[in-house]
Amino acid sequence: MDVYILNKHGTILMPCKPRKARLLLKECKAKVVNMKPFTIQLLFGSTGYKQPITVGVNTGTENAGVTVISGNQDLNSCEFKLRKHVSLKGHDRRIYRGNMKRRRYRKPRFDNRASSKKAGRPPPDVQGKGAFPCCCGLLMPLSTTLLLPVTAPQ
């Protein structure tokens, strides 16, 4: 398990081993910022050297996986199950919303989809599945993101 590091100004640096973090904390060269995930911030200037890090996202129909790789080394990886029966829950919600619409009148609103306008957002199917690398790699200086699409068997 690696320890995430922020430099003096709060920029993300490469993670280090727990022994290195323990020595930095003991010598008062770093302070603890978060406990979960364990993150420290350096109290001295550093060069800010970063290795190229790639995050790969595999979105499946039942399971999704995220892995963070630097060179040949696997830095972090996780796999999680996706929600099922979302369409049934959407059907129930649609019925309740229809009842609410009949009770009151509201002026129609258009162009209110902020998530589709902003650049850098994941596509809706990936965002809905929760498979975007939010669990693995937020505290690493990512350079490349690979999204592996799911193809249906023929």
Side-chain angles (χ1 to χ4, degrees):
M1 184 172 143
D2 290 340
V3 177
Y4 300 112
I5 300 178
L6 304 175
N7 72 358
K8 188 176 182 180
H9 307 291
T11 308
I12 300 169
L13 297 176
M14 292 296 294
C16 73
K17 298 293 179 192
R19 175 176 165 72
K20 177 74 171 176
R22 202 169 38 248
L23 291 173
L24 288 170
L25 290 169
K26 195 175 205 179
E27 295 171 0
C28 296
K29 292 184 178 181
K31 66 178 181 178
V32 177
V33 178
N34 284 331
M35 291 299 288
K36 210 169 200 178
F38 191 71
T39 309
I40 62 172
Q41 183 172 12
L42 300 177
L43 300 175
F44 61 93
S46 63
T47 60
Y49 172 73
K50 299 174 192 171
Q51 298 172 357
I53 293 181
T54 303
V55 61
V57 182
N58 186 358
T59 61
T61 55
E62 292 186 9
N63 296 325
V66 179
T67 185
V68 181
I69 301 170
S70 174
N72 299 352
Q73 186 180 8
D74 183 15
L75 298 177
N76 200 348
S77 61
C78 62
E79 181 179 342
F80 46 93
K81 293 189 178 284
L82 302 174
R83 291 178 56 194
K84 296 182 181 177
H85 309 297
V86 177
S87 61
L88 296 176
K89 293 177 183 179
H91 177 68
D92 294 343
R93 189 181 327 132
R94 187 169 40 249
I95 292 171
Y96 293 133
R97 288 171 69 194
N99 290 338
M100 291 299 294
K101 284 183 179 180
R102 286 184 208 95
R103 291 183 193 159
R104 65 182 172 91
Y105 176 75
R106 183 182 74 197
K107 184 178 158 185
R109 295 183 282 183
F110 298 99
D111 204 23
N112 61 350
R113 303 294 183 260
S115 62
S116 62
K117 293 180 192 174
K118 295 185 180 174
R121 297 235 180 165
D125 59 339
V126 175
Q127 193 175 29
K129 289 180 180 178
F132 202 69
C134 55
C135 66
C136 305
L138 271 186
L139 294 171
M140 294 187 194
L142 303 177
S143 59
T144 312
T145 302
L146 297 175
L147 182 62
L148 304 173
V150 178
T151 56
Q154 296 179 357

